[in-house]
Amino acid sequence: MQLRYNVRLYPTPGQQTALARAFGCARVVFNDGLRARQQARAAGLPYISDGELSKRIITEAKKTPERSWLGEVSAVVLQQALADLNTAYRNFFASVSGKRKGPKLAPPRLRSRKDNRQAIRFTRNARFQVTAGGKLRLPKIGDVTVRWSRRLPSEPSSVTVVKDAAGRYFASFVVEAAEQPLPQTAAEVGIDLGLTHFAVLSDGRKVGNPRFLRRAERRLRKAQQALSRKTAGSNNRAKAVVKVARAHARVADARRDFAHKLSTQIIRDNQAVMVEDLCVKGLARTRLAKSVHDAGWSAFVTMLEYKAARYGRTLVKIDRWFPSSKLCSACGTVAESMPLNVRSWTCPCGTVHDRDVNAANNILAAGRAERRNACGGTVRPAA
């Protein structure tokens, strides 16, 4: 399976200038290709093919005085910028024709040098490499210092160099990683995700909601107020923008670290994990939107999914309309209503339920039923 390994880069001032040049050239090639296709469509001309676009926007453009500086960066960076444009168009056409599932996609837009994220990609034919000293050698940029947190499991097929809004540089390697099945265990768990507690497990454990954004609101508010007082276009305003971005980056990093540690623990301890397929986009349109985004459920479930596939575990997603909170896990009675302010309730059968633990138990039972139906028989926990 393919995985991404992200590491922090520390380019020198000269390398930062070279990277800025590469970011700019890739952005110009992308925008030139987009304009060429837009102008052809406006003139009623046929759609420009990928090969013809590459010849016109890169090969021939380098020979002109206006675009001669495109030769100062690796040709692979320019080709990958056009590949991104072609992929964006294919996804747009597939969305319009109904071949692509999910919400409708908009056509590609022009890229701006003021975008929060700047990125370039090097593929294997660019001959990038990790040196014996642990640095990342990039063509026409040099050997960039890397802070390695772990070793790459195999030779990377590509690397994307990213500069985020906080001014940090990262390298994202795409590598082939072999599956690493963990020793089998008999444990299975159902997970009810929520806001009062981030996760409630069917074994009764409750994981508190860290609320990273809420805890950082005071610091974020002060940074944003300082930004609002700066004169537009001034150097001080540019510095204040970076301070705000760094404050948000700390929140995002803490949330991601929490989700990684919790998902790894759950996958390591359980052979099968059952979780609800929540409609986060729908919940994000309610009055709880800020808390829903702060929780980061989608990223957490995605981590569970790929870690389960890699480590030989089973992840079952339960339908979002399954009445996990209203269903009595003891007798199967479904309550008529269950407002969010009701945290515990008593079933007519006499069982007193903790709302979240009961939901987690129902999710576990529903997941086991789905596994049994998929296998065409009884699913027994691993010995």
Side-chain angles (χ1 to χ4, degrees), residues 174-238:
V174 176
V175 297
E176 285 289 340
E179 295 184 3
Q180 300 175 353
L182 293 171
Q184 290 197 349
T185 176
E188 297 180 344
V189 69
I191 305 176
D192 178 57
L193 299 174
L195 296 177
T196 305
H197 295 90
F198 177 80
V200 177
L201 310 185
S202 54
D203 58 11
R205 287 182 294 164
K206 296 185 178 182
V207 180
N209 189 352
R211 296 183 174 88
F212 294 106
L213 181 61
R214 298 286 185 181
R215 284 160 47 187
E217 276 185 332
R218 183 173 178 273
R219 183 169 59 248
L220 290 169
R221 182 170 62 250
K222 290 181 67 176
Q224 191 67 50
Q225 287 174 344
L227 171 62
S228 67
R229 298 189 186 103
K230 300 298 185 289
T231 303
S234 66
N235 289 336
N236 284 337
R237 183 177 178 84

Short mmCIF file of all heavy atoms in Angstrom, two decimals, residues 174-238:
data_model
loop_
_atom_site.label_atom_id
_atom_site.label_comp_id
_atom_site.label_asym_id
_atom_site.label_seq_id
_atom_site.Cartn_x
_atom_site.Cartn_y
_atom_site.Cartn_z
N VAL A 174 6.09 9.87 -1.01
CA VAL A 174 5.17 8.78 -1.31
C VAL A 174 5.99 7.50 -1.40
O VAL A 174 6.91 7.39 -2.22
CB VAL A 174 4.42 9.02 -2.64
CG1 VAL A 174 3.55 7.82 -2.98
CG2 VAL A 174 3.58 10.28 -2.55
N VAL A 175 5.68 6.53 -0.53
CA VAL A 175 6.46 5.29 -0.45
C VAL A 175 5.51 4.09 -0.48
O VAL A 175 4.33 4.19 -0.14
CB VAL A 175 7.31 5.24 0.83
CG1 VAL A 175 8.34 6.36 0.84
CG2 VAL A 175 6.44 5.32 2.06
N GLU A 176 6.05 2.97 -0.91
CA GLU A 176 5.34 1.70 -0.84
C GLU A 176 5.66 1.05 0.50
O GLU A 176 6.82 0.79 0.80
CB GLU A 176 5.75 0.78 -1.99
CG GLU A 176 5.17 1.15 -3.34
CD GLU A 176 3.68 0.88 -3.44
OE1 GLU A 176 3.18 0.07 -2.62
OE2 GLU A 176 3.03 1.48 -4.31
N ALA A 177 4.62 0.80 1.30
CA ALA A 177 4.81 0.21 2.62
C ALA A 177 4.12 -1.15 2.66
O ALA A 177 2.95 -1.28 2.28
CB ALA A 177 4.25 1.12 3.71
N ALA A 178 4.85 -2.14 3.08
CA ALA A 178 4.28 -3.48 3.19
C ALA A 178 3.36 -3.57 4.40
O ALA A 178 3.53 -2.83 5.39
CB ALA A 178 5.39 -4.52 3.31
N GLU A 179 2.35 -4.43 4.32
CA GLU A 179 1.47 -4.63 5.46
C GLU A 179 2.24 -5.27 6.61
O GLU A 179 3.10 -6.12 6.39
CB GLU A 179 0.28 -5.51 5.06
CG GLU A 179 -0.64 -4.87 4.02
CD GLU A 179 -1.85 -5.73 3.71
OE1 GLU A 179 -1.99 -6.80 4.35
OE2 GLU A 179 -2.64 -5.34 2.84
N GLN A 180 1.92 -4.85 7.81
CA GLN A 180 2.60 -5.35 9.01
C GLN A 180 1.55 -5.86 10.00
O GLN A 180 1.23 -5.17 10.98
CB GLN A 180 3.44 -4.24 9.64
CG GLN A 180 4.52 -3.69 8.73
CD GLN A 180 5.26 -2.52 9.34
OE1 GLN A 180 4.89 -2.01 10.39
NE2 GLN A 180 6.31 -2.08 8.67
N PRO A 181 0.98 -7.05 9.74
CA PRO A 181 -0.08 -7.56 10.62
C PRO A 181 0.38 -7.69 12.07
O PRO A 181 1.45 -8.24 12.34
CB PRO A 181 -0.43 -8.92 10.01
CG PRO A 181 0.07 -8.85 8.60
CD PRO A 181 1.28 -7.97 8.64
N LEU A 182 -0.43 -7.20 12.97
CA LEU A 182 -0.15 -7.33 14.40
C LEU A 182 -0.64 -8.69 14.90
O LEU A 182 -1.50 -9.32 14.25
CB LEU A 182 -0.84 -6.21 15.17
CG LEU A 182 -0.32 -4.79 14.93
CD1 LEU A 182 -1.24 -3.77 15.59
CD2 LEU A 182 1.10 -4.63 15.44
N PRO A 183 -0.15 -9.16 16.01
CA PRO A 183 -0.68 -10.42 16.58
C PRO A 183 -2.18 -10.31 16.82
O PRO A 183 -2.67 -9.28 17.28
CB PRO A 183 0.09 -10.54 17.90
CG PRO A 183 1.33 -9.75 17.70
CD PRO A 183 0.96 -8.62 16.81
N GLN A 184 -2.90 -11.37 16.47
CA GLN A 184 -4.35 -11.33 16.61
C GLN A 184 -4.77 -11.28 18.08
O GLN A 184 -4.08 -11.78 18.96
CB GLN A 184 -4.98 -12.55 15.93
CG GLN A 184 -4.87 -12.50 14.42
CD GLN A 184 -5.83 -13.47 13.76
OE1 GLN A 184 -6.42 -14.31 14.42
NE2 GLN A 184 -5.99 -13.35 12.45
N THR A 185 -5.90 -10.65 18.29
CA THR A 185 -6.46 -10.52 19.64
C THR A 185 -7.96 -10.75 19.57
O THR A 185 -8.58 -10.56 18.51
CB THR A 185 -6.16 -9.13 20.23
OG1 THR A 185 -6.80 -9.01 21.50
CG2 THR A 185 -6.66 -8.03 19.32
N ALA A 186 -8.54 -11.16 20.67
CA ALA A 186 -9.98 -11.43 20.69
C ALA A 186 -10.81 -10.18 20.91
O ALA A 186 -12.03 -10.21 20.78
CB ALA A 186 -10.29 -12.45 21.80
N ALA A 187 -10.17 -9.08 21.25
CA ALA A 187 -10.91 -7.86 21.61
C ALA A 187 -11.53 -7.21 20.38
O ALA A 187 -10.92 -7.15 19.31
CB ALA A 187 -9.99 -6.88 22.32
N GLU A 188 -12.76 -6.73 20.55
CA GLU A 188 -13.46 -5.93 19.55
C GLU A 188 -14.07 -4.74 20.28
O GLU A 188 -14.44 -4.85 21.45
CB GLU A 188 -14.54 -6.74 18.85
CG GLU A 188 -14.00 -7.92 18.06
CD GLU A 188 -15.11 -8.72 17.38
OE1 GLU A 188 -16.29 -8.54 17.76
OE2 GLU A 188 -14.79 -9.52 16.49
N VAL A 189 -14.22 -3.63 19.58
CA VAL A 189 -14.69 -2.42 20.25
C VAL A 189 -15.59 -1.61 19.32
O VAL A 189 -15.38 -1.57 18.11
CB VAL A 189 -13.50 -1.56 20.73
CG1 VAL A 189 -12.76 -0.95 19.55
CG2 VAL A 189 -13.95 -0.47 21.69
N GLY A 190 -16.63 -1.02 19.91
CA GLY A 190 -17.47 -0.06 19.21
C GLY A 190 -17.16 1.33 19.74
O GLY A 190 -16.91 1.50 20.93
N ILE A 191 -17.16 2.33 18.86
CA ILE A 191 -16.78 3.68 19.24
C ILE A 191 -17.92 4.64 18.91
O ILE A 191 -18.41 4.68 17.77
CB ILE A 191 -15.51 4.13 18.51
CG1 ILE A 191 -14.37 3.14 18.74
CG2 ILE A 191 -15.10 5.53 18.95
CD1 ILE A 191 -13.11 3.47 17.95
N ASP A 192 -18.34 5.39 19.91
CA ASP A 192 -19.32 6.46 19.72
C ASP A 192 -18.58 7.79 19.83
O ASP A 192 -18.07 8.14 20.89
CB ASP A 192 -20.42 6.38 20.77
CG ASP A 192 -21.44 7.50 20.61
OD1 ASP A 192 -22.02 7.62 19.52
OD2 ASP A 192 -21.62 8.28 21.57
N LEU A 193 -18.51 8.52 18.72
CA LEU A 193 -17.83 9.81 18.70
C LEU A 193 -18.79 10.91 19.13
O LEU A 193 -19.97 10.89 18.76
CB LEU A 193 -17.29 10.11 17.30
CG LEU A 193 -16.26 9.10 16.76
CD1 LEU A 193 -15.91 9.43 15.32
CD2 LEU A 193 -15.01 9.10 17.62
N GLY A 194 -18.29 11.85 19.90
CA GLY A 194 -19.16 12.91 20.39
C GLY A 194 -18.38 14.17 20.73
O GLY A 194 -17.19 14.29 20.43
N LEU A 195 -19.08 15.11 21.36
CA LEU A 195 -18.48 16.39 21.73
C LEU A 195 -18.20 16.50 23.22
O LEU A 195 -17.19 17.05 23.64
CB LEU A 195 -19.39 17.54 21.28
CG LEU A 195 -19.61 17.67 19.76
CD1 LEU A 195 -20.58 18.80 19.46
CD2 LEU A 195 -18.29 17.90 19.05
N THR A 196 -19.11 15.96 24.05
CA THR A 196 -18.85 15.96 25.49
C THR A 196 -17.60 15.15 25.78
O THR A 196 -16.70 15.58 26.50
CB THR A 196 -20.05 15.39 26.26
OG1 THR A 196 -21.22 16.12 25.91
CG2 THR A 196 -19.82 15.47 27.76
N HIS A 197 -17.55 13.93 25.22
CA HIS A 197 -16.34 13.11 25.20
C HIS A 197 -16.00 12.87 23.73
O HIS A 197 -16.89 12.64 22.91
CB HIS A 197 -16.56 11.77 25.91
CG HIS A 197 -16.83 11.90 27.38
ND1 HIS A 197 -18.10 12.03 27.88
CD2 HIS A 197 -15.99 11.94 28.44
CE1 HIS A 197 -18.04 12.14 29.20
NE2 HIS A 197 -16.78 12.09 29.57
N PHE A 198 -14.71 12.95 23.42
CA PHE A 198 -14.33 12.74 22.03
C PHE A 198 -14.74 11.35 21.55
O PHE A 198 -15.26 11.19 20.45
CB PHE A 198 -12.82 12.92 21.88
CG PHE A 198 -12.32 12.66 20.49
CD1 PHE A 198 -12.45 13.62 19.50
CD2 PHE A 198 -11.74 11.44 20.14
CE1 PHE A 198 -12.01 13.38 18.21
CE2 PHE A 198 -11.29 11.19 18.86
CZ PHE A 198 -11.43 12.17 17.89
N ALA A 199 -14.50 10.34 22.38
CA ALA A 199 -14.85 8.97 22.02
C ALA A 199 -15.25 8.21 23.27
O ALA A 199 -14.60 8.33 24.31
CB ALA A 199 -13.69 8.27 21.31
N VAL A 200 -16.34 7.45 23.16
CA VAL A 200 -16.77 6.56 24.23
C VAL A 200 -16.71 5.15 23.66
O VAL A 200 -17.32 4.86 22.62
CB VAL A 200 -18.18 6.90 24.72
CG1 VAL A 200 -18.62 5.89 25.79
CG2 VAL A 200 -18.23 8.31 25.28
N LEU A 201 -15.99 4.25 24.33
CA LEU A 201 -15.80 2.89 23.85
C LEU A 201 -16.81 1.95 24.50
O LEU A 201 -17.32 2.22 25.59
CB LEU A 201 -14.38 2.42 24.14
CG LEU A 201 -13.25 3.36 23.71
CD1 LEU A 201 -11.90 2.71 23.95
CD2 LEU A 201 -13.40 3.78 22.26
N SER A 202 -17.08 0.87 23.80
CA SER A 202 -18.09 -0.08 24.27
C SER A 202 -17.67 -0.79 25.56
O SER A 202 -18.51 -1.37 26.24
CB SER A 202 -18.39 -1.12 23.18
OG SER A 202 -17.19 -1.75 22.74
N ASP A 203 -16.38 -0.73 25.90
CA ASP A 203 -15.94 -1.33 27.17
C ASP A 203 -16.09 -0.36 28.35
O ASP A 203 -15.66 -0.66 29.45
CB ASP A 203 -14.50 -1.82 27.07
CG ASP A 203 -13.53 -0.70 26.68
OD1 ASP A 203 -13.94 0.49 26.70
OD2 ASP A 203 -12.37 -1.00 26.37
N GLY A 204 -16.71 0.81 28.07
CA GLY A 204 -16.98 1.77 29.14
C GLY A 204 -15.97 2.89 29.26
O GLY A 204 -16.20 3.86 29.99
N ARG A 205 -14.85 2.80 28.55
CA ARG A 205 -13.84 3.85 28.64
C ARG A 205 -14.32 5.11 27.92
O ARG A 205 -14.95 5.03 26.86
CB ARG A 205 -12.52 3.40 28.04
CG ARG A 205 -11.75 2.39 28.90
CD ARG A 205 -10.43 2.04 28.22
NE ARG A 205 -10.65 1.33 26.97
CZ ARG A 205 -9.70 1.17 26.05
NH1 ARG A 205 -8.51 1.70 26.23
NH2 ARG A 205 -9.96 0.49 24.95
N LYS A 206 -13.99 6.27 28.49
CA LYS A 206 -14.36 7.55 27.89
C LYS A 206 -13.10 8.37 27.68
O LYS A 206 -12.33 8.58 28.62
CB LYS A 206 -15.35 8.29 28.79
CG LYS A 206 -16.69 7.59 28.95
CD LYS A 206 -17.68 8.43 29.75
CE LYS A 206 -19.03 7.72 29.86
NZ LYS A 206 -20.02 8.54 30.60
N VAL A 207 -12.93 8.82 26.44
CA VAL A 207 -11.77 9.65 26.08
C VAL A 207 -12.23 11.09 26.04
O VAL A 207 -13.13 11.46 25.27
CB VAL A 207 -11.18 9.23 24.72
CG1 VAL A 207 -9.98 10.09 24.37
CG2 VAL A 207 -10.81 7.75 24.74
N GLY A 208 -11.63 11.93 26.87
CA GLY A 208 -12.03 13.32 26.94
C GLY A 208 -11.79 14.07 25.63
O GLY A 208 -10.89 13.73 24.85
N ASN A 209 -12.60 15.08 25.40
CA ASN A 209 -12.44 15.91 24.21
C ASN A 209 -11.43 17.02 24.51
O ASN A 209 -11.69 17.87 25.37
CB ASN A 209 -13.79 16.52 23.83
CG ASN A 209 -13.74 17.21 22.48
OD1 ASN A 209 -12.69 17.38 21.88
ND2 ASN A 209 -14.90 17.64 21.99
N PRO A 210 -10.27 17.04 23.86
CA PRO A 210 -9.23 18.03 24.20
C PRO A 210 -9.63 19.47 23.89
O PRO A 210 -9.15 20.40 24.51
CB PRO A 210 -8.03 17.61 23.35
CG PRO A 210 -8.32 16.22 22.91
CD PRO A 210 -9.81 16.10 22.84
N ARG A 211 -10.51 19.66 22.87
CA ARG A 211 -10.95 21.02 22.49
C ARG A 211 -9.75 21.94 22.27
O ARG A 211 -9.63 23.00 22.90
CB ARG A 211 -11.90 21.59 23.54
CG ARG A 211 -13.20 20.83 23.69
CD ARG A 211 -14.13 21.51 24.70
NE ARG A 211 -15.43 20.86 24.73
CZ ARG A 211 -15.71 19.82 25.52
NH1 ARG A 211 -14.77 19.32 26.33
NH2 ARG A 211 -16.90 19.27 25.50
N PHE A 212 -8.90 21.56 21.36
CA PHE A 212 -7.67 22.32 21.13
C PHE A 212 -7.96 23.76 20.69
O PHE A 212 -7.28 24.69 21.14
CB PHE A 212 -6.82 21.62 20.07
CG PHE A 212 -6.29 20.29 20.52
CD1 PHE A 212 -6.82 19.10 20.03
CD2 PHE A 212 -5.27 20.22 21.46
CE1 PHE A 212 -6.32 17.88 20.45
CE2 PHE A 212 -4.77 19.00 21.89
CZ PHE A 212 -5.30 17.82 21.38
N LEU A 213 -8.94 23.93 19.81
CA LEU A 213 -9.25 25.28 19.33
C LEU A 213 -9.83 26.14 20.45
O LEU A 213 -9.45 27.31 20.60
CB LEU A 213 -10.22 25.21 18.16
CG LEU A 213 -10.62 26.55 17.53
CD1 LEU A 213 -9.40 27.26 16.98
CD2 LEU A 213 -11.66 26.35 16.43
N ARG A 214 -10.71 25.58 21.24
CA ARG A 214 -11.31 26.34 22.34
C ARG A 214 -10.24 26.77 23.34
O ARG A 214 -10.28 27.89 23.86
CB ARG A 214 -12.36 25.48 23.05
CG ARG A 214 -13.53 25.05 22.18
CD ARG A 214 -14.48 26.18 21.93
NE ARG A 214 -15.67 25.73 21.20
CZ ARG A 214 -16.66 26.54 20.83
NH1 ARG A 214 -16.59 27.82 21.12
NH2 ARG A 214 -17.68 26.06 20.17
N ARG A 215 -9.30 25.88 23.63
CA ARG A 215 -8.26 26.20 24.60
C ARG A 215 -7.31 27.28 24.08
O ARG A 215 -6.70 28.01 24.87
CB ARG A 215 -7.47 24.94 24.95
CG ARG A 215 -8.23 24.00 25.88
CD ARG A 215 -7.68 22.59 25.83
NE ARG A 215 -6.23 22.54 25.94
CZ ARG A 215 -5.53 21.43 25.79
NH1 ARG A 215 -6.15 20.28 25.51
NH2 ARG A 215 -4.22 21.43 25.91
N ALA A 216 -7.18 27.38 22.76
CA ALA A 216 -6.25 28.35 22.18
C ALA A 216 -6.94 29.64 21.74
O ALA A 216 -6.29 30.51 21.15
CB ALA A 216 -5.53 27.73 20.98
N GLU A 217 -8.23 29.77 22.03
CA GLU A 217 -8.98 30.92 21.52
C GLU A 217 -8.42 32.25 22.00
O GLU A 217 -8.38 33.22 21.25
CB GLU A 217 -10.45 30.79 21.92
CG GLU A 217 -11.26 29.94 20.97
CD GLU A 217 -12.73 29.93 21.31
OE1 GLU A 217 -13.07 30.10 22.50
OE2 GLU A 217 -13.54 29.77 20.39
N ARG A 218 -7.99 32.32 23.26
CA ARG A 218 -7.48 33.59 23.79
C ARG A 218 -6.23 34.02 23.03
O ARG A 218 -6.10 35.19 22.63
CB ARG A 218 -7.19 33.46 25.28
CG ARG A 218 -6.71 34.76 25.94
CD ARG A 218 -6.61 34.61 27.46
NE ARG A 218 -6.11 35.81 28.06
CZ ARG A 218 -4.82 36.10 28.23
NH1 ARG A 218 -3.91 35.23 27.83
NH2 ARG A 218 -4.43 37.23 28.81
N ARG A 219 -5.31 33.08 22.82
CA ARG A 219 -4.09 33.40 22.09
C ARG A 219 -4.39 33.76 20.63
O ARG A 219 -3.80 34.70 20.07
CB ARG A 219 -3.13 32.21 22.16
CG ARG A 219 -1.79 32.46 21.48
CD ARG A 219 -0.77 31.37 21.80
NE ARG A 219 -1.24 30.06 21.39
CZ ARG A 219 -1.56 29.09 22.22
NH1 ARG A 219 -1.50 29.29 23.53
NH2 ARG A 219 -1.96 27.91 21.78
N LEU A 220 -5.32 33.02 20.02
CA LEU A 220 -5.70 33.31 18.63
C LEU A 220 -6.37 34.68 18.53
O LEU A 220 -6.13 35.42 17.57
CB LEU A 220 -6.64 32.21 18.13
CG LEU A 220 -6.02 30.83 17.88
CD1 LEU A 220 -7.10 29.81 17.64
CD2 LEU A 220 -5.07 30.89 16.69
N ARG A 221 -7.21 35.00 19.51
CA ARG A 221 -7.91 36.28 19.47
C ARG A 221 -6.93 37.45 19.57
O ARG A 221 -7.04 38.44 18.84
CB ARG A 221 -8.93 36.35 20.60
CG ARG A 221 -9.75 37.63 20.61
CD ARG A 221 -10.89 37.56 21.59
NE ARG A 221 -10.42 37.38 22.96
CZ ARG A 221 -10.57 36.27 23.66
NH1 ARG A 221 -11.16 35.20 23.12
NH2 ARG A 221 -10.13 36.17 24.91
N LYS A 222 -5.94 37.33 20.43
CA LYS A 222 -4.96 38.39 20.59
C LYS A 222 -4.13 38.55 19.31
O LYS A 222 -3.83 39.68 18.89
CB LYS A 222 -4.04 38.09 21.77
CG LYS A 222 -4.73 38.20 23.13
CD LYS A 222 -3.78 37.91 24.27
CE LYS A 222 -2.72 38.99 24.37
NZ LYS A 222 -1.83 38.77 25.54
N ALA A 223 -3.76 37.44 18.69
CA ALA A 223 -2.99 37.51 17.45
C ALA A 223 -3.82 38.13 16.33
O ALA A 223 -3.30 38.93 15.53
CB ALA A 223 -2.51 36.12 17.04
N GLN A 224 -5.09 37.78 16.27
CA GLN A 224 -5.96 38.33 15.22
C GLN A 224 -6.22 39.82 15.45
O GLN A 224 -6.29 40.60 14.50
CB GLN A 224 -7.28 37.55 15.20
CG GLN A 224 -8.15 37.85 13.99
CD GLN A 224 -7.52 37.37 12.70
OE1 GLN A 224 -7.10 36.23 12.60
NE2 GLN A 224 -7.45 38.24 11.71
N GLN A 225 -6.37 40.23 16.71
CA GLN A 225 -6.56 41.65 17.00
C GLN A 225 -5.32 42.47 16.64
O GLN A 225 -5.43 43.57 16.09
CB GLN A 225 -6.88 41.82 18.49
CG GLN A 225 -8.28 41.37 18.88
CD GLN A 225 -8.51 41.40 20.38
OE1 GLN A 225 -7.55 41.48 21.16
NE2 GLN A 225 -9.76 41.32 20.80
N ALA A 226 -4.15 41.91 16.93
CA ALA A 226 -2.91 42.60 16.55
C ALA A 226 -2.81 42.74 15.04
O ALA A 226 -2.37 43.77 14.52
CB ALA A 226 -1.71 41.84 17.10
N LEU A 227 -3.25 41.70 14.31
CA LEU A 227 -3.23 41.75 12.85
C LEU A 227 -4.17 42.84 12.33
O LEU A 227 -3.84 43.57 11.39
CB LEU A 227 -3.61 40.39 12.28
CG LEU A 227 -3.87 40.31 10.77
CD1 LEU A 227 -2.61 40.67 10.00
CD2 LEU A 227 -4.34 38.91 10.38
N SER A 228 -5.34 42.95 12.93
CA SER A 228 -6.33 43.91 12.44
C SER A 228 -5.87 45.36 12.59
O SER A 228 -6.39 46.26 11.92
CB SER A 228 -7.65 43.72 13.19
OG SER A 228 -7.52 44.08 14.55
N ARG A 229 -4.90 45.61 13.47
CA ARG A 229 -4.43 46.98 13.70
C ARG A 229 -3.29 47.37 12.76
O ARG A 229 -2.88 48.53 12.75
CB ARG A 229 -3.94 47.11 15.16
CG ARG A 229 -5.01 46.87 16.20
CD ARG A 229 -4.51 47.23 17.58
NE ARG A 229 -5.49 46.86 18.60
CZ ARG A 229 -5.39 45.80 19.38
NH1 ARG A 229 -4.33 45.00 19.26
NH2 ARG A 229 -6.31 45.53 20.28
N LYS A 230 -2.76 46.43 12.01
CA LYS A 230 -1.63 46.72 11.13
C LYS A 230 -2.12 47.32 9.81
O LYS A 230 -3.19 46.99 9.31
CB LYS A 230 -0.84 45.44 10.86
CG LYS A 230 -0.27 44.77 12.12
CD LYS A 230 0.70 45.69 12.83
CE LYS A 230 1.38 45.00 14.00
NZ LYS A 230 0.46 44.77 15.15
N THR A 231 -1.29 48.18 9.26
CA THR A 231 -1.61 48.83 7.99
C THR A 231 -1.51 47.84 6.84
O THR A 231 -0.54 47.08 6.75
CB THR A 231 -0.65 50.01 7.74
OG1 THR A 231 -0.72 50.92 8.84
CG2 THR A 231 -1.03 50.75 6.46
N ALA A 232 -2.50 47.85 5.98
CA ALA A 232 -2.50 46.92 4.85
C ALA A 232 -1.28 47.14 3.97
O ALA A 232 -0.95 48.28 3.61
CB ALA A 232 -3.78 47.10 4.03
N GLY A 233 -0.61 46.06 3.61
CA GLY A 233 0.57 46.13 2.75
C GLY A 233 1.87 46.40 3.46
O GLY A 233 2.93 46.39 2.81
N SER A 234 1.84 46.61 4.78
CA SER A 234 3.06 46.91 5.51
C SER A 234 3.80 45.63 5.89
O SER A 234 3.23 44.54 5.91
CB SER A 234 2.75 47.71 6.77
OG SER A 234 2.00 46.92 7.69
N ASN A 235 5.09 45.78 6.23
CA ASN A 235 5.88 44.64 6.67
C ASN A 235 5.37 44.10 8.00
O ASN A 235 5.39 42.88 8.25
CB ASN A 235 7.35 45.03 6.81
CG ASN A 235 8.02 45.25 5.46
OD1 ASN A 235 7.57 44.71 4.45
ND2 ASN A 235 9.07 46.06 5.45
N ASN A 236 4.92 45.00 8.88
CA ASN A 236 4.39 44.56 10.17
C ASN A 236 3.14 43.71 10.00
O ASN A 236 2.90 42.78 10.77
CB ASN A 236 4.09 45.77 11.07
CG ASN A 236 5.35 46.38 11.66
OD1 ASN A 236 6.36 45.71 11.75
ND2 ASN A 236 5.28 47.64 12.02
N ARG A 237 2.33 44.05 9.01
CA ARG A 237 1.14 43.24 8.76
C ARG A 237 1.53 41.85 8.27
O ARG A 237 0.92 40.85 8.66
CB ARG A 237 0.22 43.93 7.75
CG ARG A 237 -1.07 43.15 7.51
CD ARG A 237 -2.02 43.86 6.58
NE ARG A 237 -3.21 43.06 6.34
CZ ARG A 237 -4.27 43.02 7.14
NH1 ARG A 237 -4.27 43.75 8.24
NH2 ARG A 237 -5.30 42.27 6.85
N ALA A 238 2.55 41.78 7.41
CA ALA A 238 3.01 40.47 6.93
C ALA A 238 3.50 39.62 8.09
O ALA A 238 3.24 38.41 8.14
CB ALA A 238 4.10 40.67 5.89
#
